[in-house]
Amino acid sequence: MRRELKRKLARVKLFLCDVDGVLTDGMVLMGNGVESKRFSNSGVFAMRMLAEFGHYGRYAAGGLVAGLMLFADIRVLGAQGADGLRGPIRGGFSVAEADRETGARKYALWGESATPLTAEEWEIQSPRLELYGADETTNLVFMPSRCNYSRKTQQISSSEALRVWTGDGYLRMQGEGFALDLEARRLWVSNRVEAVINKALFQKKDGLEPVRGAGESGAILVRSDRLEYGTNRVEFLDGVRAEDADGHLECRRLVVDLVADSSDVRALGADGAVRFAAAELQVQAGKAVYEPAEGRLTLTGEPHWIFRQRPGRARVVVLERDRRAFGAEGEVRMELPAESFSVPAFSGVMTNAVRGAQGEGPVLVLADRMTAEPQPGQTNRHNVLLQGGVTIQQGEGRLRSREFLVQTEGEEHTVRRAEAMGEVTIERGLERMSCERAEYDAAGAYAEFSGGVGWQTRERSGSADRLWLDLAENHYRAEGAVRMRFEQAGGSWGGWLLPDEETGSDGTGVSKGAVAGAEPTEIECDRFAYRGGRGVGAVPSAEYEGNVIVKQGDQLHMTCNSLRAQFDAGTNQIRSVVAEERVELRAADGSGYRLARGDRAVYSAVEDEVLLTGREGVEFFVIGPSGVSRGMGRQAVYRRATDSLVLAGDPTITTPEGELKGSEVRLNRREGVLSATGPWRIRLPVGGGELPRLPGP
């Protein structure tokens, strides 16, 4: 205010004015035989600014004179020193404070009556206090049942009940026993604090009305033992519990940070034995921060949780309430019930392709990060994503990957689908599998592995570009550069063309094999399929397609375009093998080397023989110490028990001792006998003589 104007106003001792239209806004209210007029604070504050300190006191309406307004040294609440008003004020009381520079209202205090306690302190009955912002809008309204007001210290206090609300009504509080510093704008409430915060302060949505009661879906109810309210900050202290329709939070201290010059909430922070519960989730932590703009609750300080009796812990837990998402970061560790998930493992020749570790105790889950949230557009289907150093372990079963995604369904969160990505390994005991991606469909009991797939068991191993498993039917198939290795072949593969030097067939139709301790068998092809079979009498089978190669060290080498094999369900020994298209078989043992070519080869363990046929004929070579023997015909049958070869279809057998033709020609190497049936012809070397006896093996 300018110095000259202040000098002139200082000389004013008495101010008289009319009431109607001066102190009122011109409105007259009538009802029940009573006429009332509505007064405006604007006029009162304008008069108050006439002096350096403006105070107004009791005024009586009526006539032309509104009342006597005392300025200068006189105070409404009492005079400075002995010359002032000392008695109680009846029939209405008010006092206000304005900014000396701008004249903007800072606060106004009303009451039904005021009783002086000292020259500077009054006891006010049924008071109402309003605090104003820089734009003179109402920030806070206080209504205690009774309070003490000190003009000198600018403090209001009471041991009585207090009600407080913001000007927009979105924040309401109550408690017992309080102290308010008007200058610093700080409030302390000492007992039984209860606050209702409208979520409109979080959501920033237009058109939301103030809440009508606690516990509604649009409000947060906060209770505590004590409260401190300062500029842009509210602190709830001791025994704090905040709740809404979705859940509740407990802690020792809850801090509400407000946006400057408004009641909008920027963030809520909790610390000290924080406990959060929502639906079936309970979390305990040292600290928590809620960011309304993002709808995100972050818990730190060794947080741990229980969800549907499933415990977990991490360094940080994040709840995004709008998205209903749950996340954890840093050394995430969870324990799940045995029935909630199964760690796949491989067994045997993958007859039990993926076996769950059921009954081996709870499932342990480790990761760097975890996020769980509903699937887009779904309410009962959720995605759970694990990232970074993922390990899922149950008993001896263990799965590792860089990422692991689980899709669940229903209230029980039943696993529908699982997907592991990046350096995937699955182990159980001595069994191991690796790939870049593994997918599991629980509904179809189906699994798919891709990207450098490899597997290892005690007796066999393999690799392929892709692998599919049908767990319900016990089927699996692979394709793309398929490689398989059988560490203990049991002689079944190598026994195709090698003689049984012991007893031949064991009478059960399953050959014992002649090469115990033989080298591992290796199979290569473009595509592979295995059918395990179910039920009594089911016969497991395997199919190899495209550029098939079967090797067993130097003992066996076979090539063809298609190979099918059947196995004994009990011993996994080979029952039969059918090789087709450009079939070539090579076998070697201590007695020599054998080679067979044709279009189709069939091995039967029941007959213990190999049948070789060809559209353009077959060839059979035996190379031994006595030289090379060659057989040709339309078909050839090799019997392991007798180490004999039977040729038919215009057959010819040529040995160093001569050449023999007939309807059917037989070469028994074990007995050293060469014979023929039907019209036959023999050609002997020069020097003739009887057909020599061939040397034994």
Side-chain angles (χ1 to χ4, degrees):
M1 186 178 293
R2 290 180 299 174
R3 184 175 303 174
E4 179 63 20
L5 180 58
K6 291 177 66 177
R7 186 183 63 79
K8 292 180 179 180
L9 291 176
R11 295 198 299 268
V12 177
K13 300 299 182 182
L14 181 64
F15 184 88
L16 299 177
C17 70
D18 196 0
V19 174
D20 297 332
V22 178
L23 299 181
T24 72
D25 61 1
M27 179 177 288
V28 177
L29 305 175
M30 302 183 66
N32 297 325
V34 178
E35 178 180 313
S36 302
K37 297 180 181 181
R38 191 166 67 180
F39 285 77
S40 172
N41 281 330
S42 300
V44 174
F45 278 99
M47 291 187 295
R48 178 181 169 281
M49 293 172 61
L50 292 175
E52 182 177 274
F53 298 97
H55 301 278
Y56 57 94
R58 300 180 61 193
Y59 50 85
L64 297 176
V65 180
L68 178 64
M69 312 303 296
L70 301 178
F71 297 96
D73 295 334
I74 300 179
R75 303 291 187 269
V76 161
L77 300 180
Q80 297 286 349
D83 301 328
L85 299 176
R86 292 185 175 276
I89 299 175
R90 307 292 184 187
F93 159 85
S94 62
V95 64
E97 181 74 22
D99 187 278
R100 295 183 181 183
E101 297 296 327
T102 65
R105 295 182 300 172
K106 296 171 65 175
Y107 70 84
L109 174 63
W110 295 271
E112 290 183 357
S113 63
T115 302
L117 301 176
T118 67
E120 292 292 343
E121 186 173 357
W122 289 65
E123 181 182 281
I124 304 171
Q125 299 296 328
S126 302
R128 175 188 174 99
L129 171 68
E130 293 186 3
L131 300 184
Y132 305 109
D135 58 356
E136 296 197 40
T137 58
T138 303
N139 276 355
L140 286 174
V141 179
F142 296 78
M143 286 193 67
S145 57
R146 179 186 60 82
C147 72
N148 293 348
Y149 170 71
S150 173
R151 177 70 178 183
K152 182 177 181 180
T153 63
Q154 289 285 289
Q155 289 190 350
I156 298 177
S157 62
S158 174
S159 60
E160 304 291 333
L162 168 71
R163 291 183 296 138
V164 183
W165 62 89
T166 57
D168 54 19
Y170 286 177
L171 172 60
R172 298 186 289 120
M173 297 178 290
Q174 65 184 40
E176 294 182 5
F178 75 95
L180 172 64
D181 188 326
L182 291 169
E183 192 64 33
R185 295 208 169 192
R186 292 188 63 84
L187 169 69
W188 294 266
V189 181
S190 57
N191 293 288
R192 299 181 182 179
V193 177
E194 182 176 302
V196 178
I197 306 174
N198 194 307
K199 290 184 180 178
L201 300 178
F202 301 157
Q203 300 165 335
K204 305 293 190 301
K205 294 181 179 179
D206 296 333
L208 288 178
E209 295 296 329
V211 295
R212 304 306 177 192
E216 297 180 8
S217 60
I220 296 178
L221 173 63
V222 183
R223 293 187 176 94
S224 67
D225 294 340
R226 299 184 293 121
L227 176 141
E228 293 184 13
Y229 191 119
T231 303
N232 304 325
R233 188 180 181 90
V234 183
E235 292 189 31
F236 298 89
L237 303 170
D238 299 333
V240 182
R241 179 183 174 93
E243 60 184 87
D244 64 6
D246 297 324
H248 70 269
L249 180 144
E250 298 177 354
C251 60
R252 286 198 290 267
R253 185 178 72 147
L254 177 65
V255 179
V256 182
D257 287 328
L258 305 175
V259 178
D261 297 324
S262 80
S263 58
D264 292 341
V265 176
R266 177 185 288 111
L268 285 83
D271 58 62
V274 178
R275 295 174 180 267
F276 174 80
E280 296 175 297
L281 172 67
Q282 296 88 41
V283 185
Q284 297 184 33
K287 296 183 179 180
V289 175
Y290 179 62
E291 302 166 273
E294 291 78 20
R296 180 171 56 234
L297 176 65
T298 303
L299 298 105
T300 57
E302 300 183 359
H304 53 282
W305 67 87
I306 296 179
F307 177 71
R308 296 185 63 87
Q309 306 303 316
R310 303 171 185 180
R313 67 172 186 259
R315 290 183 177 177
V316 180
V317 169
V318 179
L319 300 173
E320 297 188 44
R321 304 190 70 184
D322 293 341
R323 295 171 49 211
R324 305 189 71 82
F326 175 85
E329 295 183 11
E331 299 180 6
V332 179
R333 179 187 178 96
M334 297 183 292
E335 290 187 12
L336 309 179
E339 66 276 6
S340 61
F341 188 78
S342 297
V343 179
F346 287 84
S347 175
V349 195
M350 296 162 71
T351 356
N352 240 352
V354 172
R355 182 179 60 211
Q358 299 286 351
E360 297 187 2
V363 180
L364 176 63
V365 179
L366 306 174
D368 294 336
R369 295 174 300 281
M370 185 273 289
T371 303
E373 61 183 336
Q375 296 179 20
Q378 299 288 335
T379 57
N380 67 336
R381 292 186 178 183
H382 293 75
N383 289 339
V384 180
L385 177 62
L386 302 169
Q387 294 176 297
V390 179
T391 298
I392 301 175
Q393 184 168 345
Q394 183 182 34
E396 293 183 351
R398 180 171 57 248
L399 181 149
R400 291 184 175 135
S401 64
R402 288 200 301 267
E403 292 188 357
F404 192 83
L405 174 65
V406 178
Q407 296 180 350
T408 66
E409 183 176 40
E411 295 182 358
E412 298 298 325
H413 292 271
T414 304
V415 175
R416 296 181 59 254
R417 186 175 178 274
E419 182 177 354
M421 297 156 282
E423 300 178 3
V424 181
T425 60
I426 303 171
E427 299 173 303
R428 188 173 189 274
L430 298 177
E431 301 169 351
R432 187 178 189 275
M433 183 175 186
S434 61
C435 60
E436 280 301 307
R437 192 183 196 95
E439 301 176 56
Y440 170 67
D441 186 337
Y446 192 77
E448 178 179 348
F449 306 85
S450 59
V453 183
W455 58 90
Q456 175 78 51
T457 70
R458 182 189 298 271
E459 298 180 353
R460 57 209 76 205
S461 60
S463 64
D465 293 339
R466 301 177 75 89
L467 176 68
W468 293 267
L469 306 172
D470 186 334
L471 310 181
E473 299 296 329
N474 197 19
H475 297 169
Y476 64 93
R477 60 189 177 92
E479 70 176 31
V482 179
R483 304 286 187 273
M484 303 184 72
R485 178 184 175 94
F486 301 87
E487 299 296 337
Q488 298 180 11
S492 298
W493 291 98
W496 281 29
L497 299 178
L498 298 178
D500 186 345
E501 296 181 357
E502 297 179 358
T503 60
S505 176
D506 61 3
T508 64
V510 179
S511 173
K512 291 182 178 179
V515 284
E519 295 185 41
T521 300
E522 299 177 359
I523 303 178
E524 302 177 10
C525 62
D526 297 333
R527 296 172 302 279
F528 166 75
Y530 175 86
R531 297 180 180 275
R534 297 287 188 186
V536 179
V539 179
S541 64
E543 297 180 6
Y544 307 83
E545 300 287 340
N547 302 307
V548 180
I549 300 175
V550 180
K551 296 184 292 184
Q552 187 176 335
D554 295 331
Q555 295 175 321
L556 173 69
H557 187 281
M558 180 182 71
T559 60
C560 62
N561 200 51
S562 174
L563 178 67
R564 298 188 302 277
Q566 290 185 335
F567 305 89
D568 178 72
T571 64
N572 228 20
Q573 295 286 340
I574 293 176
R575 280 185 171 274
S576 65
V577 177
V578 177
E580 296 182 294
E581 298 184 41
R582 301 186 302 277
V583 179
E584 180 175 291
L585 303 107
R586 301 178 185 181
D589 64 356
S591 64
Y593 174 80
R594 295 162 177 76
L595 169 65
R597 295 192 181 106
D599 294 324
R600 191 171 191 266
V602 178
Y603 167 71
S604 171
V606 175
E607 302 295 335
D608 198 18
E609 65 182 23
V610 179
L611 171 62
L612 180 67
T613 59
R615 292 183 299 273
E616 297 180 2
V618 300
E619 285 185 300
F620 198 106
F621 295 88
V622 177
I623 302 173
S626 60
V628 178
S629 299
R630 178 188 183 190
M632 295 185 298
R634 295 295 180 183
Q635 74 173 34
V637 177
Y638 175 72
R639 294 187 174 93
R640 296 179 58 248
T642 58
D643 190 18
S644 63
L645 175 67
V646 179
L647 284 170
D650 194 17
T652 300
I653 291 183
T654 303
T655 72
E657 289 77 18
E659 179 184 89
L660 178 64
K661 294 184 177 183
S663 299
E664 183 179 271
V665 178
R666 301 181 178 183
L667 173 61
N668 188 321
R669 297 191 69 249
R670 177 164 294 179
E671 300 295 333
V673 175
L674 180 64
S675 61
T677 62
W680 59 271
R681 185 176 63 180
I682 186 170
R683 180 181 297 177
L684 299 175
V686 177
E690 65 175 299
L691 187 65
R693 182 179 181 86
L694 296 177

